[in-house]
Amino acid sequence: MAYASLISLKTTIKSLLMTSNLPLQSLICDHKEELLALHEKVSSLGVFLNNFEKNNVSGEMTDLEVEVKEVASAVEYTIQLRLTEIEMANTKNSVSGKIEGQNFYHSLQQVAVDIDRLRKESTKIRDKGKQASEESSVRDFSSSANDGLNVKNSMVGRGDQRERLLEDLTRGYSGEPKVIPIIGMGSIGKTTLAIEVYNSAHVRSHFDVCAWATLSQQHNVKEILLNLLRSTKGGTFDMLDEAELADMLRKSLYGKRYLIVMDDIWSIKAWDDVRRFFPSQNKGSRILLTTRNNEVACYANTENLSLQMSFMDQDESWNLFKSVAFANEALPLPSELENIGKKIAEKSHGLPLTIVVVAGLLKSKKTIEDWESVAKDVKSFVKNDPDKQCSHVLGLSYNHLTSDLKTCLLYFGIFPEDSEIPVNHLKRLWMAEGFLNFENDLEGEADKCLQDLINRCLVHVSKKSRGETKIISCKVHDLIHDLCLRQVQRGNLFTVKDILFEKSDEKKAQINDCDPNHVPSVCQPLSRHNMQPFKRWTGDEIYGSPYGLYRALLTPGHHELRDDDDNNLLKRTRSIFSLGGFFSTFVLQSELIHFKLLKILDLTHIRIYSFPLQILSLIWLRYLALFCSEIFDVTPEICRLWNLQTFIVEGYPPSYLTFPEQIWGLRRLRYLKLHKFHLPNQPSVSVDKARYMSFSNIQSISYLSPLCCTKEVLSGIQNVKKIGIKGNQNIRESGIFNNLVILQQLETLSVRKFYNWSAVTIPTTLKKLKLYKTFLRWSYLDIIAELPNLEVLKLVLNACHGEEWDPNVRVFTQLKVLLIQANYLESWKATNDNFPVLERLVLGSCSYLKEIPIEFADINTLQLIELDSCPPILAESAARIQQEQEDLGNDPVDVHIIPIRHVLGEPKKKIIFSRHSSLDKWIKCQSSN
C-alpha cells in the first residue's frame, strides 16, 4: 500500500506542474524547480518500492513500507492543504495570499527533507540486499495432495469436467505433447480435479510415465526437477546440480508417453523455465497445468484445450455438501437438516472449498440449532475454520499481486457484499482516487488492471454487452470481498466511515409534509456528525433504509492526522459517494467547505434544485456526480474545479442544461454526462491561452444537443472517443452533423431522437453506432454500410421506419454485431454477402418480422442468434438456419431465446439451444400451448 501512496503523491505533483488554474499558476511557476525535483525523487523511490513489494510475498507491511506510506500521505496532505489555503486567501486579499505563498515554499523544503531521508534508507537496503526473503519454492507431491481437498468429496458435482479432462488426456494426438491448463480462482477445485484424473486407473494405464510437481509463487527450477524425478525414478538426487537433473529428467521421459502435472503455476516465466525439460517428440504425451492466471493458460496452451472451472450451481453445491456432512450415513436424510443444509450450500456461493469446510465442521454437529446458526452467517463460520484453509488459499492470490493490482482489488471492499459494480463507474473511481499512473493512458491503465484481476480469477464478469465486446459489470466472490475488507480495516490504504442520515420521528414528519420543490430547513446537513463506524452492509439493508447510505474514505491516520480533532477528520476525508438506496433530502450546507481535500463527491441520491456553490471550494475534486430533476444554472466559477475528470448530472430535466463558456477551463475533464445539455462555443482568447480552453483529455461526452455541433465546439473536443447526441422532434436540419468529420478519434456514436441526418458525415474511424428513434429509411443503411471500421450496429425503437429492408450490393465489411429492436420491419432480404463476418445477431421485440434470412446459414463466422420477446416464427427461422448448418457439416449457431414476459418486472429467463434437436422440441412445445 506504500506504493499506492507514492503513486497518489506523484499524481498530485504532476497535476500541479500541468495546472491551468490562473490563481495558482504563477505560484507553481515560481516553485517549478522544487516541484520537478520532488517529482523525480518520488518517482525514484517508487521504482525501488515497487521492486521491494514484489519480493515481499508475506502480505505484511515492513517497517520501511509503513514509513513510506505515512510520509507520502503526509506530504500529499501538506501540499494540497497549503495550496487550498492559498486559493482561499487569494479570494479574500492579496496580502494573505503572499504570506501563504511563503508558507508553501517552506513546506516544500520540509517535505523534500522527508523524501530524501526515505531515499537514503532505501539505498542502504538495496545495497545490502535486504529484500524480503523468498518463501519455500516447491512442496513435494505428497504434501500438495494432503493440502488439497478430500478427492472423493470434492469431486462430487464435477463429473462432466472430469470426463472431458480424461478424454482430452487420453485421446490420440500426433505431434508435440499437448498442454492442457485448468484455470480458476483459488479454492475452486483445480488441484483436486487434477489429483482425481492423475490417480485414475485409466490414466495410469494409458501413460508410461506420470510425474507431479507443485509450484509456489517464487518457483525454484532445481526443486521442480527434483520433485519430477522423485515421481518418475524414486531415490534422492539432491547432490546433483540443475544441469545434471535436467539431463536425467529428459532421459527418463525420452521415447515414452508421459503425463506431467505442473500444479499451481503462477507466471509465464515459471512455464518458460520448465518447458524446455520436456521432450517434444513423444506422441500422445500431455502436460497438465493448474493456474489461477488465465494469461499463463493462454500462453502455454496452443490447442484451445483449457478447462475453465466455474462456481458450482445450487444442485452441485448441495450434493457436495451432502456428501461431506452425511458421509457414510444411511438415507433418507432428516428433512429438517436437509432444508437447512440446502440454504447453507446456497450461501456458500458455489465455491467447493467453502462448502467442504462448512460441511466438515458441521459433520459432528447434527442439532437444528447449530445448523440454523450457521445458515444465518455462513461466511463468519468459514472465518472461524481452525485450519484457516480458505483465507490461506485466497491470501496467496492476493500476496502475488503487484502493488497497483492490490490497490484496485481492495477497492471492491468498500462496496456492499454481492454488489454488481458497473465497470465504467469503477474505473472512473480508480482514476479519481489516484491509483493509476498519471503519466500513462488512464483508461488503458484501468482496463489493464481490471483485465489482470479477471485473468487471475479474483474478479468475475457479471454482465457483458449484447455483442460480448465489452464488460458491463463485475463482482467479487464473498470470500474475496471479505479478504478486501480485512485489508481495508487495517487502514493501510484508507480508512472507511459510513455516513448515515438518521432523523427523529418529529423531523421525519416535518420532512414528509414538505413541498417537494422546497428544501426543508429541518433536514440534516452533511457534516462530521453523520460519520459512523464502518459496517458491512448488504444491498438489501441499503435499499431497505429510508435514507440510503453514503460512504466516506479518509486518508490513513498517523501522528499528524488524528481523529480526536474534528477539523482534521474533515480534512482527511478524500471521498464521499453514494452506495444506493432511496433519495435523501438533507441540505448541503456550509460544512461542505471543510472537506478541503475531497477528490470524489457522488451525491446521486440527493435531490438538488440548484448548483451547490460550496462545491467550488473543493479545488482537488476529480469526480463530481449530482442528481437533479429541474434545470439549474451552472455558475461560471465552475472553472475553479481545475482537477475535475468526471462530471455527471443524473435525472431528467425538461430541457437542455446550458453550460457557461468557462466550462472550457476544465482541461482535465475526461467524462461528461448529462441527460441533455448545450455546450457553448469556446471563448475568444489569445493564441497563448487557447490551449488552456479545450477538453484535450476528453474521452466520453453525452448527451450533446445537435444545435451545438458546430466547428467551434467540436474543435474543442477533437480527441473524444465516445459521443452521444440527443435531439427532439423540433430539430430536423440535416446539415447539423456535417462537422462530425472533425472528430478523427471517434469510435462510438449514439444518436437519439434526431431526424433527417446524413451518415456521410460520420468519421470513418467509427466502430460502434447506436441509433434510437431516428426514423431513417431502411435503404439509408446502405450508406452506413460503407463505414470501413464499423463493428457494432444497434438499431433501437424505430431507428428505421418502413416494412422492408432489402440491402443492395453494399457490404458491412467489418460488422460483427447487429441488434434490431422494436420496429415495424416485416421483410428482410439480406444475404450472407451483406454481412460476411457477422458473429452475433440480436433481435428484440421484432413482432412483425416473418423470418431471418436463410442465407445467414452461409455466414461462417456466425456464432449466436439471440431472440428477445420475439414471436415463435422467428425461433422456427433460427431452427432452419441451425439445420442448414448441420447439413453443411458445420457447427450450428447457438440460439438464445428470451420468451415474452407477461408480467411487468418479471426477470428475463434465457433459454440456450446449441443443437437443432433441442430447439425444434421447444418450438413444438410452444406451438401446442
Side-chain angles (χ1 to χ4, degrees):
M1 298 307 101
Y3 182 73
S5 299
L6 280 177
I7 286 294
S8 183
L9 171 59
K10 184 178 172 183
T11 298
T12 294
I13 298 171
K14 188 70 175 180
S15 68
L16 289 175
L17 292 169
M18 299 171 62
T19 184
S20 59
N21 181 271
L22 295 179
L24 294 178
Q25 200 173 26
S26 60
L27 177 68
I28 299 303
C29 287
D30 291 342
H31 302 291
K32 186 173 182 179
E33 188 174 328
E34 291 92 338
L35 286 169
L36 283 170
L38 184 60
H39 182 269
E40 183 179 349
K41 292 174 182 177
V42 171
S43 299
S44 173
L45 185 58
V47 171
F48 164 80
L49 195 67
N50 191 29
N51 293 327
F52 184 87
E53 288 186 351
K54 285 179 182 177
N55 292 317
N56 179 19
V57 295
S58 68
E60 299 296 327
M61 292 185 71
T62 63
D63 291 341
L64 173 65
E65 291 172 296
V66 171
E67 188 174 9
V68 170
K69 175 185 69 67
E70 288 207 353
V71 169
S73 297
V75 169
E76 183 176 15
Y77 175 88
T78 300
I79 291 175
Q80 291 182 331
L81 190 59
R82 283 282 178 264
L83 290 175
T84 302
E85 290 168 350
I86 291 170
E87 171 83 356
M88 297 179 71
N90 280 330
T91 60
K92 296 177 182 178
N93 62 76
S94 58
V95 176
S96 2
K98 290 179 180 178
I99 295 173
E100 293 295 342
Q102 293 173 355
N103 290 337
F104 178 63
Y105 174 70
H106 294 308
S107 295
L108 283 180
Q109 288 184 314
Q110 181 56 52
V111 299
V113 170
D114 293 335
I115 296 296
D116 279 335
R117 176 173 53 80
L118 289 176
R119 289 181 69 216
K120 289 178 182 178
E121 195 171 336
S122 68
T123 301
K124 290 179 183 178
I125 292 177
R126 182 174 58 241
D127 292 343
K128 294 180 180 180
K130 290 184 178 179
Q131 278 87 347
S133 61
E134 296 183 355
E135 67 178 22
S136 176
S137 298
V138 179
R139 301 168 299 184
D140 62 26
F141 169 67
S142 59
S143 68
S144 71
N146 292 333
D147 287 344
L149 306 179
N150 177 278
V151 172
K152 180 179 177 181
N153 288 331
S154 62
M155 282 308 301
V156 172
R158 298 289 197 188
D160 290 344
Q161 291 176 322
R162 178 183 180 276
E163 292 306 314
R164 180 198 151 180
L165 186 55
L166 283 171
E167 182 183 354
D168 287 343
L169 286 172
T170 57
R171 68 182 173 186
Y173 283 111
S174 60
E176 295 184 354
K178 304 302 177 189
V179 180
I180 305 175
I182 305 176
I183 315 154
M185 70 177 285
S187 74
I188 204 165
K190 303 181 299 296
T191 298
T192 304
L193 178 59
I195 291 173
E196 173 78 358
V197 297
Y198 183 84
N199 290 329
S200 156
H202 182 45
V203 165
R204 289 287 177 169
S205 63
H206 181 79
F207 293 100
D208 302 320
V209 179
C210 294
W212 181 294
T214 299
L215 287 73
S216 65
Q217 293 162 296
Q218 301 294 326
H219 67 283
N220 181 291
V221 174
K222 181 176 179 179
E223 289 299 320
I224 294 171
L225 292 169
L226 283 170
N227 279 277
L228 291 173
L229 283 168
R230 288 168 190 153
S231 296
T232 60
K233 297 178 71 66
T236 59
F237 315 92
D238 295 22
M239 302 303 293
L240 301 177
D241 61 25
E242 183 179 312
E244 292 171 319
L245 292 170
D247 184 61
M248 186 177 292
L249 179 63
R250 289 191 194 95
K251 289 178 179 178
S252 70
L253 298 177
Y254 189 80
K256 298 175 183 177
R257 180 190 295 160
Y258 60 79
L259 169 63
I260 302 291
V261 179
M262 306 296 295
D263 182 36
D264 208 15
I265 188 165
W266 288 83
S267 66
I268 290 174
K269 184 179 186 306
W271 169 245
D272 282 338
D273 285 346
V274 299
R275 63 190 297 185
R276 65 183 186 274
F277 302 133
F278 308 134
S280 60
Q281 295 82 9
N282 304 43
K283 295 182 179 180
S285 293
R286 301 288 184 273
I287 302 168
L288 186 63
L289 309 179
T290 72
T291 182
R292 310 179 191 202
N293 192 336
N294 192 58
E295 189 177 12
V296 174
C298 292
Y299 179 80
N301 175 32
T302 58
E303 297 286 338
N304 196 27
L305 295 173
S306 61
L307 178 62
Q308 184 81 44
M309 297 201 69
S310 57
F311 296 113
M312 288 182 159
D313 62 26
Q314 196 166 335
D315 290 337
E316 291 172 333
S317 298
W318 165 239
N319 288 333
L320 175 57
F321 179 90
K322 180 172 57 176
S323 71
V324 178
F326 297 99
N328 303 320
E329 293 192 18
L331 299 176
L333 305 178
S335 59
E336 298 88 348
L337 290 182
E338 180 173 344
N339 292 333
I340 302 171
K342 287 182 177 179
K343 292 180 182 177
I344 294 173
E346 182 180 357
K347 290 184 177 181
S348 297
H349 295 284
L351 194 63
L353 182 56
T354 305
I355 298 168
V356 170
V357 166
V358 175
L361 293 173
L362 285 177
K363 189 175 182 179
S364 59
K365 300 178 180 181
K366 295 295 175 63
T367 67
I368 293 177
E369 292 76 17
D370 284 335
W371 282 44
E372 285 181 338
S373 175
V374 173
K376 290 178 182 177
D377 193 353
V378 172
K379 187 173 65 178
S380 294
F381 194 71
V382 173
K383 286 168 57 181
N384 294 327
D385 167 27
D387 296 326
K388 303 295 181 186
Q389 295 181 67
C390 294
S391 58
H392 172 70
V393 172
L394 297 178
L396 289 176
S397 292
Y398 172 76
N399 293 338
H400 192 257
L401 295 176
T402 57
S403 300
D404 54 344
L405 290 181
K406 284 180 180 177
T407 304
C408 291
L409 179 65
L410 291 190
Y411 210 69
F412 283 89
I414 67 176
F415 296 98
E417 187 177 293
D418 293 326
S419 293
E420 191 171 305
I421 305 165
V423 162
N424 286 337
H425 176 61
L426 176 68
K427 292 189 293 187
R428 286 192 287 270
L429 291 177
W430 283 347
M431 295 178 203
E433 293 285 3
F435 293 164
L436 307 173
N437 197 329
F438 185 85
E439 296 175 348
N440 299 331
D441 167 26
L442 287 179
E443 282 74 21
E445 286 284 303
D447 286 333
K448 182 178 182 301
C449 285
L450 180 62
Q451 191 58 56
D452 282 347
L453 292 173
I454 292 171
N455 284 342
R456 285 164 170 76
C457 303
L458 292 169
V459 174
H460 303 283
V461 176
S462 298
K463 186 185 298 181
K464 282 193 171 185
S465 63
R466 275 283 177 78
E468 299 284 322
T469 55
K470 68 175 183 176
I471 301 169
I472 301 298
S473 61
C474 62
K475 66 187 304 183
V476 294
H477 189 275
D478 282 0
L479 290 182
I480 298 294
H481 186 265
D482 188 67
L483 182 151
C484 293
L485 283 181
R486 290 199 305 272
Q487 294 292 333
V488 166
Q489 287 172 327
R490 293 181 181 182
N492 291 334
L493 181 61
F494 44 70
T495 58
V496 186
K497 290 185 179 291
D498 292 332
I499 302 176
L500 303 177
F501 301 100
E502 299 293 342
K503 302 178 176 66
S504 66
D505 292 338
E506 179 182 353
K507 287 186 176 181
K508 290 177 186 177
Q510 294 179 54
I511 292 171
N512 290 334
D513 293 337
C514 285
D515 181 346
N517 295 319
H518 174 68
V519 179
S521 61
V522 297
C523 298
Q524 285 188 343
L526 176 60
S527 69
R528 176 196 185 272
H529 305 292
N530 302 115
M531 290 191 183
Q532 304 293 328
F534 173 69
K535 180 183 176 182
R536 302 182 181 204
W537 296 86
T538 65
D540 290 341
E541 288 176 309
I542 292 173
Y543 285 93
S545 165
Y547 307 111
L549 173 67
Y550 284 77
R551 185 150 281 168
L553 306 188
L554 286 73
T555 300
H558 48 83
H559 62 282
E560 293 184 25
L561 306 172
R562 297 187 301 272
D563 283 357
D564 55 2
D565 186 333
D566 289 0
N567 196 32
N568 267 344
L569 186 66
L570 299 182
K571 290 176 184 176
R572 283 179 49 211
T573 304
R574 53 193 273 177
S575 308
I576 297 175
F577 53 90
S578 166
L579 293 180
F582 291 96
F583 284 101
S584 302
T585 50
F586 68 91
V587 184
L588 287 170
Q589 293 186 352
S590 57
E591 279 96 340
L592 190 58
I593 67 172
H594 297 301
F595 295 95
K596 294 181 178 179
L597 307 186
L598 207 61
K599 296 178 180 177
I600 294 174
L601 183 59
D602 179 354
L603 302 179
T604 48
H605 282 79
I606 300 174
R607 296 184 185 275
I608 63 171
Y609 304 92
S610 61
F611 186 84
L613 297 179
Q614 297 88 351
I615 289 176
L616 299 176
S617 63
L618 308 178
I619 64 171
W620 300 102
L621 206 61
R622 294 176 184 159
Y623 183 106
L624 176 61
L626 306 171
F627 181 93
C628 72
S629 55
E630 297 182 2
I631 290 296
F632 59 77
D633 294 328
V634 176
T635 174
E637 284 75 22
I638 186 72
C639 60
R640 290 171 58 183
L641 302 179
W642 54 281
N643 278 295
L644 202 61
Q645 296 174 349
T646 297
F647 187 17
I648 299 171
V649 180
E650 295 187 356
Y652 300 93
S655 59
Y656 288 97
L657 184 150
T658 299
F659 282 112
E661 65 178 17
Q662 287 81 1
I663 189 73
W664 290 104
L666 302 181
R667 292 185 60 232
R668 304 265 168 79
L669 201 62
R670 310 181 76 86
Y671 185 86
L672 179 62
K673 182 180 180 181
L674 296 90
H675 176 61
K676 45 188 177 181
F677 68 96
H678 185 86
L679 199 59
N681 289 343
Q682 297 180 76
S684 300
V685 293
S686 65
V687 175
D688 291 338
K689 292 184 178 181
R691 62 192 183 97
Y692 294 115
M693 300 299 287
S694 68
F695 297 155
S696 57
N697 293 302
I698 197 73
Q699 301 292 308
S700 176
I701 186 167
S702 60
Y703 280 94
L704 192 64
S705 164
L707 293 177
C708 57
C709 291
T710 62
K711 289 182 179 179
E712 291 77 12
V713 169
L714 296 183
S715 63
I717 58 171
Q718 288 187 59
N719 296 327
V720 72
K721 294 181 179 177
K722 180 177 180 179
I723 190 169
I725 300 172
K726 180 182 291 186
N728 58 52
Q729 63 272 18
N730 298 320
I731 302 176
R732 295 177 177 271
E733 184 183 339
S734 61
I736 288 178
F737 285 172
N738 290 341
N739 299 315
L740 286 179
V741 292
I742 295 174
L743 308 178
Q744 289 301 305
Q745 303 296 320
L746 190 65
E747 296 180 355
T748 302
L749 172 63
S750 176
V751 182
R752 302 170 67 91
K753 298 182 179 180
F754 187 79
Y755 318 122
N756 300 329
W757 59 286
S758 173
V760 177
T761 60
I762 298 178
T764 57
T765 55
L766 201 69
K767 294 181 179 180
K768 300 178 183 179
L769 175 62
K770 180 178 180 179
L771 305 177
Y772 174 90
K773 285 189 175 181
T774 48
F775 291 95
L776 294 174
R777 296 186 303 276
W778 286 102
S779 60
Y780 201 80
L781 296 182
D782 290 340
I783 300 176
I784 292 176
E786 294 180 348
L787 293 171
N789 297 296
L790 189 65
E791 297 178 356
V792 178
L793 176 61
K794 298 182 179 182
L795 307 171
V796 182
L797 192 57
N798 295 319
C800 297
H801 72 91
E803 300 174 352
E804 181 177 320
W805 183 13
D806 185 7
N808 63 17
V809 294
R810 304 298 173 91
V811 176
F812 288 88
T813 56
Q814 299 299 321
L815 195 67
K816 298 177 181 178
V817 180
L818 174 62
L819 180 147
I820 305 174
Q821 182 176 331
N823 60 82
Y824 293 96
L825 182 64
E826 295 182 13
S827 173
W828 187 10
K829 298 180 181 179
T831 70
N832 58 304
D833 291 332
N834 298 122
F835 304 96
V837 297
L838 190 67
E839 296 176 0
R840 295 174 179 270
L841 172 65
V842 182
L843 303 178
S845 301
C846 292
S847 305
Y848 302 95
L849 187 61
K850 294 181 174 57
E851 68 173 354
I852 305 169
I854 189 63
E855 289 83 359
F856 276 30
D858 296 324
I859 301 177
N860 296 327
T861 55
L862 191 60
Q863 301 170 8
L864 171 69
I865 297 175
E866 181 173 307
L867 306 176
D868 186 351
S869 304
C870 290
I873 193 171
L874 290 185
E876 295 175 13
S877 183
R880 287 193 296 272
I881 291 174
Q882 277 191 333
Q883 184 63 60
E884 179 78 12
Q885 290 178 322
E886 283 189 350
D887 293 344
L888 293 172
N890 300 325
D891 289 334
V893 63
D894 288 340
V895 177
H896 295 181
I897 297 178
I898 303 172
I900 298 173
R901 290 168 291 163
H902 299 287
V903 180
L904 186 64
E906 180 184 340
K908 292 186 176 183
K909 296 180 180 179
K910 184 180 293 186
I911 307 170
I912 299 176
F913 302 103
S914 297
R915 293 292 182 268
H916 168 72
S917 56
S918 57
L919 175 54
D920 186 54
K921 183 178 179 181
W922 181 84
I923 292 170
K924 290 178 181 178
C925 179
Q926 296 300 304
S927 301
S928 62
N929 290 337

